[in-house]
Amino acid sequence: MKIDLTETNSSKINAAMVQARRDIGTPAVGMVLTLVIVTDEENAYDALKSANDASHEHPSRIVVVIKRASRSPRSRRDARLDAEVRVGADAGSGETVVLRLHGELVDHAQSVVLPLLLPDAPVVVWWPDGAPTDLAGDPLGALGQRRITDTYSCENPVGTLGSRAGAYAPGDTDLSWTRITPWRSMLAAALDQQSLSVVSATVEGEADNPSCELLAMWLADRLQVPVRRTLSAGPGLTAVRLATKDGDIVLNRADGGLATLCMPGQPDRNVALKRRDTAELLAEELRRLDPDNTYEASLKYGVSQLAAASPKPEAEAEAPAKAEAAPAAKPAAKPAKKPAAK
């Protein structure tokens, strides 16, 4: 069921949701949280679809905030709120409110959203794209216990990681971090099986993929060893190599679906490590509402520190040694009867 409201306010939107639930015969509210999505018209459809899919695991009230750009000075002065209320089959396992803010109301989105939050329920704010640098300092971000971004959608993903680290507040998280949860679990399980001392590590993946940097920083922070970041054609993160004195532990995923785990003294085995869609990533983040201390430690390790601690490739390391071992070349004989140029 859908209800369109033009030039409305928060009070009328709440009344429309109550009436809609009564009309479809479900007056009881069984939602566990409020998910606020801050996006634009271009990304609103995909974000709402992912949120609706995730709501089957986490029934929630979804509030989509779309800030409409005003093209003329007069329209920028005129504040207007349009809304669309969805309940029942059109809203996943909860209910959805799509808000379109016009004019000066764009700068006061929190005053519109606040009356629509579920009482005594946690609030999660998600920016699919265009997230502010200071998430907790943003007026909408201040409403949430958890704040979700996706650095992968930024123009400069790796550079944005540094900005996120500088402005980090408990409750911040990133879907680029969520993407490497299976990798972290697999690598931790591999190290638990064998008591091997890791001396260095290599993370391989496509360029401008912040998940690769986050995984490398996690390994460097937890293992306290040099970690080198190398590039591949992708898709996404393709391989991790942990060097030990007894041999390398290698987790290789070349096709984005099935990975191969190689461990010293054991036969190679295939493990499922498929790339997950946004709905699965969002559902995972909604399972926990407490601060992620491991993400904080990895993020604050720093990309610059990762680059400084990265070991040189073997070819570069061997070159100086070969140069020192080689005998000094004899100077070339000077030509006879040819004066030096003045």
Side-chain angles (χ1 to χ4, degrees):
M1 182 178 183
K2 297 182 181 180
I3 302 175
D4 291 325
L5 301 172
T6 305
E7 296 188 9
T8 185
N9 55 47
S10 300
S11 178
K12 293 179 181 179
I13 295 173
N14 268 318
M17 283 192 288
V18 173
Q19 185 61 45
R21 287 197 300 268
R22 289 175 178 172
D23 291 343
I24 65 174
T26 57
V29 179
M31 291 162 284
V32 298
L33 58 88
T34 303
L35 176 62
V36 180
I37 305 175
V38 187
T39 184
D40 53 19
E41 291 286 2
E42 181 181 357
N43 299 288
Y45 176 82
D46 292 334
L48 187 54
K49 183 178 184 303
S50 298
N52 283 337
D53 292 342
S55 71
H56 292 291
E57 183 176 340
H58 309 277
S60 55
R61 174 178 290 180
I62 302 172
V63 180
V64 184
V65 180
I66 301 175
K67 299 179 180 181
R68 300 293 297 271
S70 300
R71 299 180 180 178
S72 66
R74 182 176 180 180
S75 61
R76 284 194 290 269
R77 289 193 301 268
D78 296 337
R80 190 177 90 244
L81 173 63
D82 298 333
E84 181 180 333
V85 176
R86 305 179 185 180
V87 295
D90 296 316
S93 296
E95 56 192 18
T96 301
V97 181
V98 181
L99 305 174
R100 289 180 171 86
L101 283 63
H102 304 259
E104 295 181 350
L105 198 59
V106 169
D107 299 325
H108 306 280
Q110 73 279 6
S111 63
V112 179
V113 173
L114 187 58
L116 302 177
L117 304 179
L118 289 172
D120 302 322
V123 179
V124 179
V125 185
W126 173 35
W127 291 268
D129 194 8
T133 301
D134 186 1
L135 304 180
D138 182 79
L140 284 172
L143 300 176
Q145 285 78 36
R146 290 280 280 178
R147 294 165 294 275
I148 304 173
T149 61
D150 191 356
T151 310
Y152 187 77
S153 64
C154 297
E155 185 175 352
N156 181 15
V158 178
T160 303
L161 290 177
S163 303
R164 292 275 185 269
Y168 176 85
D172 294 354
T173 190
D174 195 325
L175 293 185
S176 295
W177 171 257
T178 316
R179 290 185 179 95
I180 62 173
T181 300
W183 286 83
R184 294 189 295 119
S185 301
M186 196 69 64
L187 292 171
L191 291 176
D192 286 341
Q193 292 180 26
Q194 296 184 349
S195 57
L196 300 176
S197 178
V198 179
V199 295
S200 67
T202 302
V203 176
E204 180 184 290
E206 63 184 359
D208 296 325
N209 190 319
S211 295
C212 300
E213 266 70 25
L214 284 169
L215 182 59
M217 289 188 288
W218 174 73
L219 288 170
D221 177 67
R222 304 300 293 180
L223 298 177
Q224 296 297 308
V225 298
V227 179
R228 183 158 58 96
R229 167 78 162 92
T230 60
L231 300 181
S232 70
L237 182 60
T238 53
V240 175
R241 179 174 287 100
L242 304 179
T244 72
K245 295 181 180 179
D246 297 329
D248 290 352
I249 299 175
V250 181
L251 184 58
N252 184 29
R253 186 190 67 180
D255 60 356
L258 191 65
T260 303
L261 178 63
C262 307
M263 300 179 64
Q266 296 187 15
D268 297 350
R269 70 189 77 171
N270 294 327
V271 293
L273 206 63
K274 73 179 185 68
R275 305 188 74 191
R276 299 179 293 170
D277 58 24
T278 305
E280 293 179 84
L281 301 174
L282 184 61
E284 178 182 326
E285 283 300 331
L286 295 179
R287 293 185 197 123
R288 59 175 302 170
L289 299 175
D290 57 318
D292 192 340
N293 297 327
T294 306
Y295 167 69
E296 177 186 2
S298 302
L299 182 65
K300 290 185 176 180
Y301 183 87
V303 178
S304 59
Q305 185 176 347
L306 179 70
S310 175
K312 293 182 179 180
E314 293 181 2
E316 295 181 7
E318 292 176 358
K322 291 181 179 179
E324 293 178 1
K330 294 182 179 180
K334 295 182 179 180
K337 299 182 181 181
K338 186 176 182 180
K342 293 185 179 178

